[in-house]
Amino acid sequence: MGEKQKVIVIIGPTAVGKTKLSVELAKRVNGEIISGDSMQIYKEMDIGTAKVTHEEMQGVPHYLIDIKEPTEPYSVAEFQQDVRKLIQNITQKGCVPIIAGGTGLYIQSVLYDYQFSDTGKDEEIRLRIEKQVLEQGIEEVYEELRRIDPISAENIHPNNVRRVIRALEVFYSTGKTMTEYQQSQNQELLYDVAYVGLTMDRETLYDRINLRVDLMVKEGLLEEVEKLYRKGIRECQSIQAIGYKEIYAYFDGKVTKEQAVDALKQNSRRYAKRQLTWFRNKMDVTWFDMTDADFEEKLDEIFSFVAGKLKLEANK
């Protein structure tokens, strides 16, 4: 098959500093950045998804940002296809693809030989589970998934109704859990990958998450969500995102503004914890602690690791 294409992957929990690091690293290795975040694909959802700003990009090309309307679905299989095409194109230009983001399953699906065939697709079963969700509520259906496949349940948020249904559909139509199905996939890496994991002590990370949420509110998160709310955008994949569903509850009059913001902070902290668990269990990551790091020193250290692993030259 010839030489494998080189790919740098920067992962880590929300608010750990992936955006800044990926841009600075890209400047050093002549890299271009692919967003590995399943929510930054949506237009009109900038603040709540902590999307990289034009200034922050510093002229480094970024891909898979703002490619879908908030009402459109986007699957892991589409992501896999899009990113593999981008890796090909960026490599052909003589640049290094850098995937930066926090959605573990999405990133894994690109790097390994994951087949997203129609395995376990059964419309009759899916409709039955959908009906069950309507009648009993997602909580009960999620509990069923937790009993059958605790590992998948740990990695799927209860509000991600589509994925909860999909995991149960796979089980009831094949007799194999989603976890067993994924483990039976070919675990061979398709690329020459340098995994860079950013981490931070929990206290510091949680403080940063809380601070980031306060900043989002200051920058107009509520106004951003209200626009979507006023358009009547509701039962979509995009609105299940942390940062949107909590504020929707406020506009629905179910909670106060303060409760909504507190819920957003708590859900973001829990999500960060789930992200770290996923990355530690599923990927062969070299971790760099950003807690009290001098940024330039850390950047040098990460650059040395990546350059050594992938045999890269520094950019001029």
Side-chain angles (χ1 to χ4, degrees):
M1 196 186 115
E3 208 178 307
K4 286 181 178 177
Q5 292 164 329
K6 301 175 194 304
V7 179
I8 297 170
V9 177
I10 299 173
I11 53 176
T14 187
V16 79
K18 297 184 292 290
T19 300
K20 182 181 177 186
L21 184 97
S22 59
V23 169
E24 293 302 331
L25 193 60
K27 282 156 56 179
R28 289 209 183 181
V29 300
N30 191 21
E32 297 193 347
I33 296 170
I34 301 166
S35 166
D37 184 296
S38 60
M39 286 299 163
Q40 294 188 353
I41 55 167
Y42 291 112
K43 298 170 187 171
E44 300 176 65
M45 296 175 66
D46 303 340
I47 300 170
T49 62
K51 209 173 274 175
V52 59
T53 64
H54 193 68
E55 291 74 41
E56 287 170 335
M57 288 183 186
Q58 296 185 49
V60 173
H62 280 65
Y63 302 95
L64 290 200
I65 290 174
D66 293 337
I67 59 164
K68 291 274 182 188
E69 297 299 331
T71 47
E72 293 181 285
Y74 190 63
S75 67
V76 186
E78 281 175 90
F79 179 83
Q80 181 191 58
Q81 209 176 349
D82 290 345
V83 176
R84 286 183 180 171
K85 209 175 291 166
L86 282 165
I87 290 173
Q88 184 86 19
N89 296 346
I90 293 167
T91 306
Q92 277 168 351
K93 279 194 281 185
C95 299
V96 182
I98 298 175
I99 303 175
T103 310
L105 175 69
Y106 277 57
I107 295 171
Q108 214 182 5
S109 76
V110 171
L111 304 172
Y112 292 90
D113 192 11
Y114 263 35
Q115 306 294 330
F116 288 102
S117 60
D118 290 338
T119 300
K121 284 210 167 156
D122 185 317
E123 191 156 6
E124 205 175 304
I125 289 173
R126 194 183 70 246
L127 290 171
R128 179 175 62 89
I129 302 166
E130 282 171 2
K131 185 165 175 273
Q132 199 182 338
V133 171
L134 288 173
E135 288 169 359
Q136 301 172 0
I138 185 62
E139 290 78 12
E140 272 194 48
V141 178
Y142 182 74
E143 276 310 312
E144 187 179 330
L145 177 63
R146 198 195 283 279
R147 284 193 302 274
I148 291 168
D149 186 359
I151 297 174
S152 283
E154 182 55 41
N155 287 308
I156 298 174
H157 194 277
N159 286 336
N160 196 334
V161 180
R162 223 166 49 96
R163 280 187 59 204
V164 172
I165 291 171
R166 177 76 185 116
L168 285 168
E169 181 191 2
V170 166
F171 176 72
Y172 286 122
S173 56
T174 66
K176 255 179 158 180
T177 64
M178 193 68 131
T179 304
E180 287 168 336
Y181 176 60
Q182 284 168 355
Q183 282 165 352
S184 68
Q185 297 266 9
N186 187 348
Q187 286 302 309
E188 192 206 338
L189 272 171
L190 299 178
Y191 302 97
D192 189 5
V193 179
Y195 280 118
V196 173
L198 304 186
T199 181
M200 208 172 251
D201 82 57
R202 186 172 288 187
E203 192 94 0
T204 311
L205 182 65
Y206 285 1
D207 285 347
R208 279 181 63 128
I209 289 172
N210 292 341
L211 196 63
R212 174 188 267 194
V213 170
D214 289 334
L215 197 61
M216 284 176 171
V217 172
K218 210 180 268 175
E219 285 173 352
L221 176 65
L222 273 79
E223 292 75 2
E224 176 173 280
V225 179
E226 190 174 12
K227 273 187 198 156
L228 299 166
Y229 186 86
R230 298 262 170 255
K231 285 183 181 176
I233 296 173
R234 279 202 93 84
E235 303 300 316
C236 308
Q237 187 179 339
S238 61
I239 301 305
Q240 301 303 332
I242 295 173
Y244 294 86
K245 58 174 191 283
E246 296 86 355
I247 310 296
Y248 260 55
Y250 162 61
F251 288 127
D252 280 340
K254 292 177 183 162
V255 294
T256 65
K257 180 181 158 182
E258 287 68 30
Q259 287 170 322
V261 172
D262 279 348
L264 170 46
K265 288 177 179 175
Q266 188 180 28
N267 288 338
S268 299
R269 293 192 301 265
R270 284 183 180 153
Y271 178 57
K273 198 175 160 194
R274 283 203 308 275
Q275 282 175 304
L276 277 167
T277 306
W278 169 274
F279 295 135
R280 292 215 160 100
N281 292 341
K282 301 271 185 180
M283 293 179 175
D284 182 18
V285 179
T286 301
W287 292 96
F288 296 87
D289 192 332
M290 307 298 280
T291 308
D292 301 307
D294 172 297
F295 184 79
E296 287 304 318
E297 268 178 34
K298 206 46 86 167
L299 179 61
D300 287 342
E301 193 187 329
I302 290 169
F303 170 72
S304 298
F305 161 71
V306 166
K309 183 113 174 49
L310 300 181
K311 302 179 180 52
L312 296 173
E313 300 290 321
N315 195 18
K316 313 192 232 317

